[in-house]
Amino acid sequence: GNAQLIVTGDFNAAVNSPPYQALLQDNDQLVDTYRVAHPQPAEDEGTFGGFRGQANGARIDWILTSPSLKVLSADIDRRNFDGRDPSDHFPITAVLSRGNP
């Protein structure tokens, strides 16, 4: 019906992987917020940094949402603290709206 979904998780799966494709291929119920905000793939989309701050790998983390939610922005947070990464993955963020902002 009118349910609005937000799907997050530690997927460890690239956007061309079977899990990603299973959720999005031939499905008009979910969209990838990062791809909505950044339609063209780029080399620096990697989200696995391995505590080394690298961004050139695959984007293995994603936020999916119902297309009825408006994606205002989506980004990869690459901040570190005193030169130390908080995780081996870079967090994905998305700002969403239910209606007109």
Side-chain angles (χ1 to χ4, degrees):
N2 294 331
Q4 294 177 318
L5 303 172
I6 300 172
V7 180
T8 66
D10 185 357
F11 295 107
N12 286 321
V15 297
N16 59 352
S17 68
Y20 182 91
Q21 294 300 318
L23 288 168
L24 291 171
Q25 187 173 329
D26 299 324
N27 177 0
D28 62 357
Q29 300 300 308
L30 293 171
V31 297
D32 179 339
T33 59
Y34 190 83
R35 190 55 62 223
V36 169
H38 306 275
Q40 297 300 315
E43 289 184 21
D44 65 347
E45 287 185 357
T47 57
F48 180 74
F51 294 105
R52 296 179 308 277
Q54 296 176 345
N56 58 352
R59 184 167 59 90
I60 62 171
D61 301 286
W62 10 282
I63 298 172
L64 307 178
T65 189
S66 301
S68 59
L69 292 171
K70 182 177 173 92
V71 178
L72 302 178
S73 66
D75 291 296
I76 301 169
D77 185 351
R78 291 202 175 83
R79 289 180 290 176
N80 65 49
F81 304 90
D82 296 325
R84 297 175 64 182
D85 292 328
S87 173
D88 61 335
H89 291 219
F90 296 111
I92 300 289
T93 63
V95 177
L96 308 171
S97 173
R98 286 187 179 185
N100 295 329

